[in-house]
């Protein structure tokens, strides 16, 4: 999010989460210092599961390209949305989640007050100019007591943040390179989306924005490591 350093009570390197709402926390720029390593991990995954665009159940191609790692990958096709243990493109299991990614997601969740976060799914989204994500809820996970941890890399985007009803007022906020957000509690089932990405150039990712979302797709929250 666009916070000037002078607006921060603590420097960006501190593990001090900012409360956005009940259960929702922002760690501004938390991933920026090791962005190279995040990118390297994503590239490792992409070598096994390349970017692809899926179709909505209605048959429209999505503008966001996706890949996955971890045990479960989110898939969308004519039969609906589901978590799948295999990549429909290769027929093989999804690439394993690099251990470093798992640890980072877990550390971010712990800082935000969710110490039992043990993600079994990581969705990787790629936005190019014009790509967007319409207002939706993430409700395909089996235990929504677990938060979702999201990491933004590359170009900044306008995040649309609504309420529990589709008709609720929508707030806008900028998600910047390195921002980490933890969505739990009452916000876990809030409507949200991304405005069409503006054309620009980022030093690390060029004309792209990547977003990683770590989830507990199937595991119950609270009894894991
Ligand atoms: C708020 N991705 O993949 S990340 C998605 O930037 C998704 O690619 C967006 O929405 C992106 O489902 C937004 C931030 C995010 C993720 C999950 C949430 C915000 C959330 C779940 C509940 C509330
Ligand atoms: Fe979402």
């Amino acid at each position: 999010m666009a916070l000037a350093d002078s607006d921060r009570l603590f420097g960006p390197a501190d593990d001090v989460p900012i409360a956005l709402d009940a259960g929702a926390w922002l760690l501004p720029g938390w991933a920026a210092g090791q962005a190279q390593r995040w990118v390297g991990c994503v590239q490792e995954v992409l070598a096994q599961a390349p970017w692809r665009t899926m179709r909505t159940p209605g048959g429209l191609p999505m503008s966001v390209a996706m890949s996955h790692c971890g045990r479960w990958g989110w898939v969308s096709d004519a039969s609906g949305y589901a978590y799948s243990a295999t990549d429909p493109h290769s027929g093989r299991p999804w690439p394993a989640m690099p251990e470093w990614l798992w640890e980072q997601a877990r550390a971010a969740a712990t800082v935000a007050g969710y110490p039992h976060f043990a993600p079994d799914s990581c969705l990787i989204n790629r936005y190019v100019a014009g790509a967007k994500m319409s207002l939706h809820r993430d409700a395909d996970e089996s235990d929504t007591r677990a938060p979702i941890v999201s990491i933004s890399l590359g170009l900044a985007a306008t995040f649309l943040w609504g309420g529990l009803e589709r008709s609720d007022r929508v707030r806008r906020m900028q998600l910047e390179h390195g921002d980490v957000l933890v969505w739990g509690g009452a916000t876990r089932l809030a409507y949200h989306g991304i405005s069409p990405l503006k054309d620009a150039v980022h030093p690390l990712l060029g004309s792209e924005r990547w977003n990683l979302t770590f989830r507990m797709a199937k595991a119950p929250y609270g009894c894991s490591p």
Side-chain angles (χ1 to χ4, degrees):
M1 220 171 45
L3 278 180
D5 276 348
S6 57
D7 293 338
R8 292 185 174 122
L9 194 50
F10 303 91
D14 288 303
D15 283 354
V16 179
I18 296 170
L20 296 179
D21 203 342
W25 299 91
L26 167 67
L27 299 163
W30 194 80
Q34 289 187 285
Q36 214 86 264
R37 188 144 188 203
W38 284 92
V39 169
C41 284
V42 170
Q43 280 164 344
E44 203 180 292
V45 170
L46 293 172
Q48 299 162 261
W51 298 121
R52 77 288 306 276
T53 51
M54 296 192 279
R55 285 177 184 274
T56 66
L60 298 170
M62 297 182 185
S63 58
V64 176
M66 297 177 174
S67 181
H68 275 103
C69 61
R71 177 146 182 221
W72 300 102
W74 184 83
V75 293
S76 172
D77 61 22
S79 61
Y81 306 122
Y83 277 102
S84 167
T86 51
D87 176 351
H89 279 234
S90 66
R92 294 191 312 261
W94 297 103
M97 192 184 300
E99 210 167 317
W100 188 80
L101 288 187
W102 190 86
E103 284 163 5
Q104 293 295 305
R106 190 171 162 75
T110 300
V111 164
Y114 299 94
H116 305 292
F117 190 60
D120 57 8
S121 173
C122 173
L123 166 63
I124 308 166
N125 290 147
R126 181 194 65 183
Y127 295 75
V128 295
K132 67 180 174 78
M133 195 172 281
S134 307
L135 219 55
H136 68 281
R137 296 199 302 170
D138 294 14
D140 298 316
E141 299 76 26
S142 60
D143 185 349
T144 52
R145 288 174 304 178
I148 292 176
V149 173
S150 102
I151 286 90
S152 293
L153 297 169
L155 289 181
T158 303
F159 178 67
L160 307 172
W161 184 15
L164 295 179
E165 307 290 335
R166 191 179 277 282
S167 56
D168 287 348
R169 185 177 67 94
V170 173
R171 286 186 261 179
R172 282 168 174 74
M173 62 187 218
Q174 285 289 106
L175 296 184
E176 309 272 358
H177 174 71
D179 282 352
V180 175
L181 287 111
V182 181
W183 305 92
T187 60
R188 175 63 180 77
L189 289 171
Y191 278 90
H192 59 276
I194 295 284
S195 291
L197 192 78
K198 293 198 187 86
D199 204 357
V201 179
H202 185 273
L204 191 58
L205 289 187
S207 55
E208 300 184 355
R209 170 179 186 260
W210 294 358
N211 179 267
L212 285 72
T213 48
F214 293 88
R215 301 144 190 270
M216 293 178 74
K218 302 280 187 187
Y221 183 73
C223 45
S224 334

